[in-house]
Amino acid sequence: MAKPIVKAVLLSPQREPGSKPLLVVGPSLGTSTVLWTETAALLGDEYDVIGWDLPGHGMSPTATEGFDVAELADAVVDLVDSVSPGVRFHYAGVSLGGATGLQLGIKHGDRLRSLSVQCTGAKLGTPEGWLERAETVRSLGTPVMIQGSAERWFAAGFMDRRPDVSSRLLHALRDADRFGYAFCCEALAAFDVREQLGSITVPTQAIAGVEDSVAPPSFAEEVVAGIKAGGTFAVAEALDGVAHLAPAEAPDVVAGLMRNFMKENGL
């Protein structure tokens, strides 16, 4: 295992660093920072928003050996420290990016101001399923995932309504490095933090899509219940007509929920 390297893209207007609170946003497997473009634009007047890419996706170099989700969380902290050493930040992430958020809460809670985990869970899928997918993509490349991902990612009708957004996301998947993608699958195969949720001490919101077959609202409720069991404030939100990529499918709603959560908690 070796800690991967992740790179960032500034998603808010260029200005003096540190003049606004920092919000770091994380991707779903197979996507890139384009997942957050519209939601970040809606929050960019109030927050400095940077998005990071998974190994082998978007701007980030691919990995040459395996890593786990905790090491992705370490890599995110390293990334933040390269921009603003030691700064506390808000974090939001989708699916694998949300799993990374839970690991940030468990391992680096002192660095977080708030946590928004979206379309994710404390465990996702089965180890067997992820390992099989890793093997398939290593052999055949990421284009083999496009049809299945399109069905999982978007609620019915979204691709017709927003072909621009869905095609950008599917292009990101096609362009992702097969080995980086496969290592991410293997990290998800080993990911299970259900017993550690009670150690999260930062206010957390869990957002789910009602149409999400990968991480349905019950997963968000499980996360919230586990965090509350440790005595920390947490809240779940379920979005109608949304599947697995909430910030792309419902940017106005997601930005509003995030803004309200951060403000209500004096953050």
Side-chain angles (χ1 to χ4, degrees):
M1 292 275 185
K3 184 163 56 178
I5 296 167
V6 300
K7 300 286 188 185
V9 176
L10 180 66
L11 299 174
S12 54
Q14 189 87 43
R15 58 186 160 230
E16 186 68 29
S19 57
K20 302 283 183 184
L22 179 61
L23 167 62
V24 179
V25 295
S28 175
L29 175 63
T31 71
S32 72
T33 56
V34 300
L35 172 61
W36 283 97
T37 304
E38 291 186 49
T39 297
L42 294 166
L43 294 167
D45 289 342
E46 299 159 87
Y47 299 91
D48 286 333
V49 187
I50 61 171
W52 63 276
D53 285 320
L54 291 162
H57 296 60
M59 301 288 291
S60 293
T62 196
T64 54
E65 56 184 307
F67 52 83
D68 60 25
V69 179
E71 286 165 322
L72 275 179
D74 295 342
V76 170
V77 171
D78 287 350
L79 172 69
V80 171
D81 284 341
S82 74
V83 178
S84 298
V87 73
R88 291 178 68 229
F89 58 97
H90 301 284
Y91 182 85
V94 176
S95 195
L96 177 49
T100 305
L102 292 175
Q103 283 286 16
L104 283 166
I106 291 162
K107 197 173 179 186
H108 300 285
D110 58 320
R111 297 298 301 276
L112 297 181
R113 299 176 70 169
S114 74
L115 181 57
S116 179
V117 293
Q118 305 182 9
C119 310
T120 195
K123 178 181 184 292
L124 293 166
T126 65
E128 301 76 26
W130 288 119
L131 295 175
E132 184 181 324
R133 190 190 296 193
E135 192 176 323
T136 299
V137 171
R138 266 203 186 90
S139 303
L140 302 175
T142 52
V144 75
M145 295 306 305
I146 287 175
Q147 184 176 345
S149 295
E151 292 167 2
R152 286 187 295 271
W153 283 359
F154 309 117
F158 179 79
M159 291 179 72
D160 294 329
R161 286 196 312 277
R162 294 299 309 272
D164 53 331
V165 175
S166 52
S167 67
R168 275 202 304 273
L169 287 160
L170 290 167
H171 275 105
L173 171 59
R174 186 196 65 196
D175 294 342
D177 176 75
R178 67 174 70 189
F179 301 106
Y181 186 104
F183 283 130
C184 288
C185 291
E186 289 163 354
L188 280 164
F191 175 72
D192 184 350
V193 296
R194 289 174 293 181
E195 299 301 315
Q196 298 165 266
L197 292 171
S199 67
I200 294 176
T201 58
V202 62
T204 303
Q205 75 176 165
I207 294 174
V210 171
E211 310 299 322
D212 191 352
S213 61
V214 180
S218 60
F219 283 32
E221 289 159 10
E222 179 184 51
V223 165
V224 166
I227 292 172
K228 280 184 168 178
T232 301
F233 177 71
V235 61
E237 311 275 0
L239 308 186
D240 287 328
V242 169
H244 194 53
L245 299 184
E249 294 177 276
D252 294 358
V253 179
V254 170
L257 288 171
M258 288 174 60
R259 182 187 293 110
N260 290 343
F261 187 77
M262 289 186 279
K263 300 288 189 216
E264 281 171 11
N265 288 285
L267 306 165

